[in-house]
Amino acid sequence: MVRLRIALAQIDSTVGDLAGNSSRVLEATRAAAERGAHLVVFPELFLTGYPVEDLALRTSFVDASIEMTAQLARRLADEGLGEVPIVLGYLNRADLEPRLGQPAGAPLNAAAIIHRGEVVASTAKHHLPNYGVFDEYRYFVRGDRLPIFRLRGADVAVAICEDLWQNGGPVSVVAEAGAGLLVVPNASPYERDKDDVRLALCRRRAREAGCALAYVNAVGGQDELVFDGDSLVVSGTGELLARAPQFAEELLVVDVDVPAADPEAPYGEFGVDAQDGTSIVVERFALPGEPAEPYPPADPGIAARLDPLGEVYAALVLGVRDYVRKNGFRSVVLGLSGGIDSALTATIASDAVGPDRVHVALMPSRYSSEHSVSDAEELVKRQGVHSRTVPIGGIVDAFEREIELTGLAAENLQARVRGMILMGLSNEHGHLVLTTGNKSELATGYSTLYGDSAGGFAPIKDVPKTMVWELARWRNAQAGKPSGLPEGFLHPFPAPPIPENSITKEPSAELRPGQRDVDSLPPYEVLDRLLDDYVEKDLGRDSLIAAGHDPALVERVIRLVDQAEYKRRQYPPGPKITPKNFGRDRRLPITNRWRETT
Amino acid sequence: MVRLRIALAQIDSTVGDLAGNSSRVLEATRAAAERGAHLVVFPELFLTGYPVEDLALRTSFVDASIEMTAQLARRLADEGLGEVPIVLGYLNRADLEPRLGQPAGAPLNAAAIIHRGEVVASTAKHHLPNYGVFDEYRYFVRGDRLPIFRLRGADVAVAICEDLWQNGGPVSVVAEAGAGLLVVPNASPYERDKDDVRLALCRRRAREAGCALAYVNAVGGQDELVFDGDSLVVSGTGELLARAPQFAEELLVVDVDVPAADPEAPYGEFGVDAQDGTSIVVERFALPGEPAEPYPPADPGIAARLDPLGEVYAALVLGVRDYVRKNGFRSVVLGLSGGIDSALTATIASDAVGPDRVHVALMPSRYSSEHSVSDAEELVKRQGVHSRTVPIGGIVDAFEREIELTGLAAENLQARVRGMILMGLSNEHGHLVLTTGNKSELATGYSTLYGDSAGGFAPIKDVPKTMVWELARWRNAQAGKPSGLPEGFLHPFPAPPIPENSITKEPSAELRPGQRDVDSLPPYEVLDRLLDDYVEKDLGRDSLIAAGHDPALVERVIRLVDQAEYKRRQYPPGPKITPKNFGRDRRLPITNRWRETT
């Protein structure tokens, strides 16, 4: 057996920031070298950030990625780090003639093997995901090479993210060609309970490949995606050896004992049937260096998993924090109604950027109840956020003097006046506007276009109403005690930050006298179960009724959901925590006469 | 030779309206039968409409498509139309085990061959486009069968849309297997000058396949896409035999003389190398019926092409008309400033839905010049649209009494007050709000989020400012004389509908005293050339400078364009007339530190 010390660089990068991401590679490599690592592995497309979307199709961007990778290789060597090989995700291009249907410039979702000042080999993702949030057939051409390099007497293979998820391809080729360790850079976005699926997958693929597997995931927020880290190492028999925390950066250094490479295995290139209708060229070569000497292993530890609500809350905080930071905002503003949605959103914001950078506006109208104002004020007191009160009555009156609006049009007007006040404060003071709508509202269209949906980021857009309450209770329960979350995720409020009355009172939009959500929508516990079956599981009308949902309600809710597509398309992005957050992962035509209900 | 009379049903369908689209099939087949057609061909996915987006992944929708196709086959027979074979685009599914990376339910972008009450064969698109506005790897699995059916003594093959555009695949298989006629259902969206490309392509593929080719395109607007028709038939030597008009429905009936089928060619199935790394199963069979008797051919005609501006104008009118109609609106509302953008938008609206269904609001502020109001009033007079004046001063004052806004924030406030007035009128009266922004503004972010960008459809979002002026002049020049456009495209205004002063005056947003566009942007003729190179051609900074653009301007404009991504994502859809209209066809991350200019 050969003992390899590998460092899994579970760190954050920012899309497009080649120089900044490059510096992070340098830092992490230095830290790994100081800890004696023999190999450092970075997440998928670390150098460019992920996802790059149409930047992949821009010649100047791909050129810059390739050039920056070469520069970084030299710089690592110049700084005395050239002896530590690294595996770095970057954007490369294939040498292919242009043709229709092939992404412009033939970009590759690649990983470079860098050693002694040079890119000694490059591989690229073979299986390109093109479902859910992924559009990789649009952006990349398929990789068809698999490098296996000898490192200190052991063979190390490299595959990328989706190559682990789909059958056949690199994993099957590793099994055929033989290697001691398979390292896998990933940019695998968070979804509830994905960590369980991920571990099971890694165990299975390690056994299939017949070797240890090091899974390195990205961490951090990027637009709608939140990468949750959770990097891990399993042995060739599927035993979990090490695991990094969720949602936090970590340089996970692990000693893995792997079989010594077969000294008879010839260097060079050879084709292998990839068992998926394609073939892959294996490129076997050696990285020069000393063979491994025995040494006692470090104890990398297996980070504890977060509880289900803590996991979601951490994703929301990280999503907001990184969106604010990466887009260069210094503060946020939101409307505080006294209701639970804005109370939770404010709390997430306080945790994400600190209460001193959270600004709230109380915007009472003639229909606001007394408790609305007092509950909002109570939250301000508990959290110490900046607050101002802007009554909307005079502005609404000014509109109504010019145009007559009744019913829904008058209700929408109030929501829009509030949206405009927030946008005005944003433009004047540079705050990012956070919208406070939840997923149940977004699904059913229970919101006002350009009103409560106006803003730059929507922290709870993927959180159903029933879970809004759960998260509020969970967050209040963490006050004054250590949470299981990584350090810095929860602001140290000594007392529960959310007023109990905001959690327990009946939900109302307060846009007309005596209005209650249940006048327009079914009770949320009923609605959320139905939405889950219709939206996440894509069940049709008949299947929904067969699953036990009330037939009349099924018809009504399907109609509401189907008619709200335009509103959803106009909604700000927000952290994704489910398979279908109404972003790219669920998209219907606007002009659409299909009704499940007819 | 065998003479076949084929009917190309260049007609409109609506996404999701299976019953309505089905009725249209019946009507067109009846009309074709009355004209003696031997075969009727409908556009791609005619039964479901195109594009169906995530509806393709919904079991109930695919089931409904398959069931409706079978029903329609029976209904055609019941109504005495069973003897005329039809080729109908519909959604089918492949018999494949589910696996990760394969679209849920294995949907096929299919075409049914229907005869004597039954679906006698079904084929599916082989080449799936996944670039520009297309996401077909997300929605469909690849077809791998090619039906060739004997009809009245000649062999007819079927391929679908992209199968014509990409090399290899069905066209190459037809060349190998032999056929007299290749019919191709399409849903090929309009882009400027695409008709030229399309004809050249059809000529080339007909020669490659060694047979006549009938290209049947969809017509009508669907969200951002406008299908321009332009169906055509070419001979096996590439000679243009018949061509339908652009943008108008037409049942194009054409007699084509094709070689008699080889009587030795065996019926049954056989595999052919598709010359694209795959193989395709040819399914050769006969449709029972009489052999063709000689008869004199009809003269189908070759419709004249529209001039370049007429073509764009027709696309905009059709896009607006169909968006209004298919979404169930009866009227539109827009803000009329006296400037050229809103003047052109109002005129397109009048042409699309008639001036009696166009409502305009004049919303002068303290910064509106005298000519703004008088030019807007002049347009109202010339077109006879419904008009009201809603001064915004009092409302703006009411806001400013509550929050202090300066500079850009104060400018945005005015735009937002106008947006809210229009949305209020929309909610109160059911009008669709048309936004009036042009592509140059959208590209550079010269607009207000939730202000002038608020609305449901954006007729000129893909029209650069310089072309806005050209279209206005073109439209005025059509007054009182027959245009080359199809009937009903231009409202018969006796005099030029757009006031000359709106065309000739200097552009200004009028959000502060003395404001002019050139204070913030370069002259539009300079800007539009640069935007074309940066946005449409994806040139990087260095290439733009090498192409002769001013270096300082290049830096500035790139920065403006790159920073406006969030605003563009929130913009309403509008008819697409260029390769990149900032819809699905050009999409960057919001969080993006990449700057061409650094």
Side-chain angles (χ1 to χ4, degrees):
Chain A
M1 298 297 265
V2 172
R3 179 162 293 165
L4 287 181
R5 178 163 288 186
I6 53 176
L8 288 69
Q10 176 175 301
I11 56 176
D12 184 31
S13 69
T14 300
V15 163
D17 187 8
L18 302 184
N21 299 338
S22 205
S23 298
R24 301 224 67 197
V25 172
L26 211 66
E27 279 163 35
T29 305
R30 185 175 299 115
E34 282 164 9
R35 292 171 65 184
H38 304 138
L39 176 67
V40 193
V41 185
F42 291 86
E44 182 181 5
L45 285 183
F46 185 88
L47 187 76
T48 57
Y50 186 94
V52 292
E53 305 201 45
D54 279 17
L55 287 175
L57 307 177
R58 198 175 287 178
T59 308
S60 54
F61 187 66
V62 180
D63 285 346
S65 164
I66 294 169
E67 175 54 30
M68 186 63 90
T69 302
Q71 268 181 35
L72 179 58
R74 290 193 293 274
R75 203 167 143 204
L76 283 161
D78 290 347
E79 305 208 6
L81 300 166
E83 289 303 313
V84 188
I86 72 170
V87 174
L88 176 67
Y90 76 117
L91 203 51
N92 194 6
R93 67 162 60 87
D95 185 20
L96 292 170
E97 288 298 308
R99 64 168 182 77
L100 187 74
Q102 178 177 287
L108 289 165
N109 179 335
I113 298 160
I114 293 177
H115 192 227
R116 295 191 175 174
E118 285 185 6
V119 176
V120 295
S122 181
T123 184
K125 203 178 200 171
H126 178 76
H127 289 300
L128 300 173
N130 206 69
Y131 53 84
V133 298
F134 304 110
D135 289 306
E136 296 201 3
Y137 267 98
R138 179 179 176 89
Y139 297 125
F140 305 117
V141 299
R142 188 175 67 199
D144 54 6
R145 299 177 70 81
L146 180 83
I148 301 182
F149 56 93
R150 184 123 344 141
L151 176 68
R152 306 173 76 88
D155 275 349
V156 181
V158 184
I160 300 174
C161 199
E162 187 78 2
D163 291 340
L164 214 56
W165 292 82
Q166 295 195 25
N167 291 326
V171 172
S172 136
V173 171
V174 170
E176 172 78 18
L181 173 68
L182 174 60
V183 300
V184 189
N186 297 270
S188 177
Y190 172 68
E191 268 173 23
R192 293 183 67 196
D193 304 325
K194 196 170 185 182
D195 52 338
D196 302 336
V197 181
R198 184 181 285 145
L199 175 60
L201 176 77
C202 288
R203 292 191 148 129
R204 181 155 60 89
R205 294 305 189 198
R207 286 192 293 260
E208 276 178 36
C211 68
L213 190 156
Y215 176 102
V216 185
N217 196 16
V219 68
Q222 166 67 36
D223 291 357
E224 299 228 318
L225 304 185
V226 182
F227 299 103
D228 57 339
D230 189 30
S231 301
L232 56 89
V233 180
V234 293
S235 72
T237 58
E239 188 197 351
L240 179 62
L241 302 179
R243 195 165 194 179
Q246 296 164 284
F247 303 105
E249 294 199 323
E250 167 116 342
L251 185 69
L252 183 69
V253 177
V254 190
D255 288 298
V256 197
D257 294 330
V258 304
D262 174 5
E264 305 293 302
Y267 294 132
E269 300 190 353
F270 53 99
V272 175
D273 181 340
Q275 306 293 330
D276 65 351
T278 71
S279 71
I280 285 180
V281 173
V282 171
E283 182 186 3
R284 197 189 285 276
F285 61 99
L287 290 184
E290 300 302 308
E293 292 294 321
Y295 61 89
D299 178 13
I302 295 177
R305 302 296 86 196
L306 301 177
D307 68 74
L309 288 171
E311 185 184 289
V312 170
Y313 197 85
L316 303 180
V317 169
L318 187 57
V320 172
R321 179 181 290 165
D322 280 357
Y323 194 86
V324 170
R325 177 175 64 84
K326 291 183 178 179
N327 287 294
F329 288 97
R330 306 191 55 78
S331 53
V332 300
V333 65
L334 68 147
L336 204 63
S337 71
I340 187 59
D341 294 327
S342 60
L344 180 66
T345 304
T347 311
I348 292 166
S350 285
D351 286 330
V353 301
D356 56 320
R357 296 202 279 155
V358 175
H359 298 254
V360 301
L362 282 62
M363 298 175 284
S365 78
R366 66 189 88 150
Y367 306 125
S368 297
S369 55
E370 212 168 280
H371 61 74
S372 293
V373 176
S374 61
D375 292 340
E377 285 170 344
E378 172 67 19
L379 183 142
V380 170
K381 209 176 78 187
R382 291 185 186 202
Q383 300 194 11
V385 297
H386 303 277
S387 152
R388 66 193 296 165
T389 299
V390 187
I392 65 167
I395 303 171
V396 170
D397 289 347
F399 270 102
E400 293 185 340
R401 272 194 294 275
E402 299 293 352
I403 49 173
E404 197 199 352
L405 299 176
T406 59
L408 211 57
E411 293 183 34
N412 283 337
L413 174 65
Q414 298 167 60
R416 288 189 182 121
V417 167
R418 293 186 174 119
M420 290 181 66
I421 289 169
L422 294 174
M423 289 304 296
L425 294 172
S426 165
N427 290 159
E428 186 73 25
H429 303 291
H431 313 312
L432 172 71
V433 176
L434 298 181
T435 61
T436 61
N438 63 61
K439 187 175 192 177
S440 312
E441 289 177 1
L442 190 58
T444 53
Y446 195 66
S447 72
T448 298
L449 196 57
Y450 315 130
D452 52 318
S453 71
F457 202 63
I460 60 171
K461 80 173 265 200
D462 200 21
V463 182
K465 184 78 173 191
T466 46
M467 193 190 283
V468 169
W469 282 305
E470 289 173 348
L471 287 171
R473 290 200 175 92
W474 178 91
R475 181 61 185 88
N476 268 2
Q478 311 307 310
K481 65 164 197 183
S483 80
L485 265 55
E487 207 182 339
F489 266 71
L490 300 186
H491 187 81
F493 295 118
I498 301 173
E500 285 67 25
N501 197 42
S502 292
I503 303 180
T504 52
K505 70 183 169 186
E506 182 169 7
S508 164
E510 298 198 332
L511 294 172
R512 61 171 187 264
Q515 187 177 29
R516 301 175 312 158
D517 286 15
V518 289
D519 300 337
S520 308
L521 296 173
Y524 283 111
E525 56 278 17
V526 174
L527 177 65
D528 283 353
R529 276 197 302 271
L530 176 52
L531 288 174
D532 188 62
D533 281 349
Y534 183 53
V535 174
E536 304 293 335
K537 304 197 178 68
D538 255 342
L539 297 186
R541 172 187 170 280
D542 296 347
S543 309
L544 289 169
I545 293 171
H549 296 286
D550 175 68
L553 188 64
V554 165
E555 303 256 339
R556 184 166 150 232
V557 167
I558 285 180
R559 214 160 35 241
L560 286 173
V561 173
D562 287 0
Q563 286 170 354
E565 185 68 22
Y566 186 80
K567 273 191 192 175
R568 284 193 293 267
R569 287 212 184 183
Q570 303 282 326
Y571 215 78
K576 176 179 165 71
I577 64 165
T578 73
K580 300 202 177 161
N581 82 332
F582 298 117
R584 177 75 196 123
D585 50 10
R586 186 184 191 273
R587 200 167 169 101
L588 299 177
I590 298 168
T591 303
N592 172 18
R593 295 273 178 85
W594 170 246
R595 293 288 173 263
E596 287 276 350
T597 52
T598 52
Chain B
M1 297 297 265
V2 174
R3 178 162 294 165
L4 287 181
R5 178 164 289 187
I6 53 177
L8 288 68
Q10 175 175 303
I11 56 177
D12 185 30
S13 69
T14 300
V15 163
D17 187 9
L18 302 183
N21 299 337
S22 203
S23 298
R24 302 224 68 197
V25 171
L26 211 69
E27 281 163 34
T29 305
R30 185 176 298 114
E34 281 164 9
R35 292 169 64 183
H38 304 138
L39 175 67
V40 193
V41 185
F42 291 86
E44 182 181 7
L45 285 182
F46 185 86
L47 187 75
T48 57
Y50 186 94
V52 291
E53 305 201 44
D54 279 17
L55 286 175
L57 308 177
R58 199 175 287 180
T59 309
S60 54
F61 187 67
V62 179
D63 286 347
S65 164
I66 294 169
E67 175 53 31
M68 186 65 92
T69 303
Q71 268 182 35
L72 179 58
R74 291 191 295 272
R75 200 165 145 204
L76 283 161
D78 290 349
E79 304 207 8
L81 299 166
E83 288 303 314
V84 186
I86 74 170
V87 174
L88 175 66
Y90 77 117
L91 203 50
N92 194 4
R93 69 162 59 89
D95 184 19
L96 292 170
E97 289 298 308
R99 64 167 181 78
L100 186 75
Q102 178 177 287
L108 289 165
N109 179 336
I113 299 159
I114 294 176
H115 191 227
R116 295 190 175 174
E118 285 184 7
V119 176
V120 295
S122 180
T123 183
K125 202 179 201 172
H126 177 76
H127 289 299
L128 299 173
N130 204 68
Y131 51 83
V133 298
F134 304 110
D135 289 306
E136 296 202 4
Y137 267 97
R138 178 181 177 87
Y139 297 125
F140 305 118
V141 299
R142 187 174 68 199
D144 55 5
R145 298 177 71 81
L146 180 83
I148 300 182
F149 57 92
R150 185 125 339 142
L151 176 67
R152 306 172 75 89
D155 276 348
V156 181
V158 183
I160 301 174
C161 200
E162 187 77 2
D163 290 340
L164 215 57
W165 292 83
Q166 295 195 25
N167 290 325
V171 172
S172 135
V173 171
V174 170
E176 172 77 20
L181 173 67
L182 173 61
V183 300
V184 188
N186 297 271
S188 177
Y190 172 68
E191 268 171 25
R192 294 184 65 196
D193 303 326
K194 195 169 183 181
D195 52 336
D196 301 335
V197 181
R198 184 181 283 145
L199 175 59
L201 176 77
C202 289
R203 287 185 203 269
R204 181 153 61 88
R205 295 304 190 198
R207 285 191 295 258
E208 276 177 36
C211 68
L213 189 156
Y215 176 102
V216 185
N217 196 17
V219 68
Q222 167 67 37
D223 291 356
E224 298 229 318
L225 304 184
V226 182
F227 299 103
D228 57 338
D230 189 32
S231 301
L232 56 90
V233 180
V234 294
S235 73
T237 57
E239 190 196 350
L240 179 62
L241 302 178
R243 195 167 196 179
Q246 296 163 283
F247 303 104
E249 293 197 323
E250 167 114 341
L251 185 69
L252 184 69
V253 177
V254 189
D255 287 299
V256 196
D257 294 330
V258 305
D262 174 5
E264 306 292 304
Y267 293 132
E269 300 190 353
F270 53 100
V272 175
D273 181 340
Q275 306 292 329
D276 64 352
T278 70
S279 72
I280 285 180
V281 173
V282 172
E283 180 186 4
R284 197 189 284 277
F285 62 98
L287 290 183
E290 299 301 308
E293 294 291 323
Y295 62 87
D299 177 13
I302 293 178
R305 301 296 87 195
L306 301 178
D307 68 74
L309 288 171
E311 185 185 289
V312 170
Y313 198 84
L316 302 179
V317 169
L318 187 56
V320 172
R321 179 181 289 163
D322 279 357
Y323 194 86
V324 170
R325 177 174 65 83
K326 292 183 177 179
N327 286 295
F329 288 96
R330 306 191 56 78
S331 53
V332 300
V333 64
L334 68 148
L336 204 63
S337 72
I340 187 59
D341 295 326
S342 60
L344 180 66
T345 305
T347 311
I348 292 166
S350 286
D351 286 330
V353 301
D356 55 321
R357 296 203 280 155
V358 176
H359 298 254
V360 301
L362 282 62
M363 297 175 284
S365 77
R366 66 189 87 150
Y367 307 125
S368 297
S369 56
E370 210 167 284
H371 61 75
S372 293
V373 177
S374 61
D375 291 341
E377 285 170 344
E378 173 67 18
L379 182 141
V380 170
K381 208 176 77 186
R382 291 186 185 200
Q383 300 194 12
V385 297
H386 304 277
S387 152
R388 67 193 295 164
T389 298
V390 187
I392 66 168
I395 303 171
V396 170
D397 290 346
F399 270 101
E400 292 185 340
R401 270 193 295 276
E402 299 293 352
I403 48 172
E404 197 199 353
L405 298 176
T406 59
L408 210 58
E411 293 183 35
N412 283 337
L413 174 65
Q414 298 167 60
R416 290 192 181 119
V417 167
R418 291 187 174 118
M420 290 181 65
I421 290 168
L422 295 174
M423 289 304 296
L425 294 171
S426 166
N427 290 159
E428 187 73 24
H429 304 291
H431 312 312
L432 173 71
V433 177
L434 298 180
T435 61
T436 60
N438 62 61
K439 187 176 192 173
S440 312
E441 289 177 0
L442 190 57
T444 53
Y446 196 64
S447 72
T448 298
L449 195 57
Y450 315 130
D452 51 319
S453 70
F457 202 64
I460 60 171
K461 78 173 266 200
D462 200 21
V463 182
K465 184 79 174 191
T466 45
M467 193 190 283
V468 170
W469 282 305
E470 288 173 350
L471 287 171
R473 291 201 173 90
W474 178 91
R475 179 62 185 88
N476 268 1
Q478 311 307 311
K481 64 165 197 184
S483 80
L485 265 53
E487 207 182 335
F489 266 70
L490 300 185
H491 187 82
F493 295 118
I498 300 173
E500 285 67 25
N501 198 42
S502 292
I503 303 179
T504 53
K505 70 181 167 186
E506 181 169 8
S508 165
E510 296 197 335
L511 294 173
R512 61 172 186 261
Q515 187 177 29
R516 302 174 314 158
D517 286 14
V518 288
D519 300 334
S520 308
L521 296 174
Y524 283 110
E525 56 278 17
V526 174
L527 177 65
D528 283 353
R529 277 197 303 270
L530 176 51
L531 288 174
D532 188 62
D533 281 348
Y534 183 53
V535 174
E536 303 294 334
K537 303 196 179 67
D538 256 342
L539 296 187
R541 172 186 170 279
D542 297 347
S543 309
L544 290 168
I545 293 172
H549 297 286
D550 175 67
L553 188 63
V554 166
E555 302 257 340
R556 185 167 149 230
V557 167
I558 285 180
R559 213 158 36 239
L560 287 173
V561 173
D562 287 0
Q563 286 169 353
E565 186 69 22
Y566 186 80
K567 274 191 191 176
R568 284 192 293 267
R569 288 212 184 183
Q570 302 283 325
Y571 215 79
K576 176 179 165 71
I577 64 165
T578 71
K580 300 202 176 163
N581 82 332
F582 297 116
R584 177 75 195 126
D585 50 11
R586 185 184 191 273
R587 199 166 170 101
L588 298 178
I590 298 168
T591 301
N592 172 17
R593 295 273 178 82
W594 170 246
R595 294 288 173 262
E596 287 277 352
T597 52
T598 52

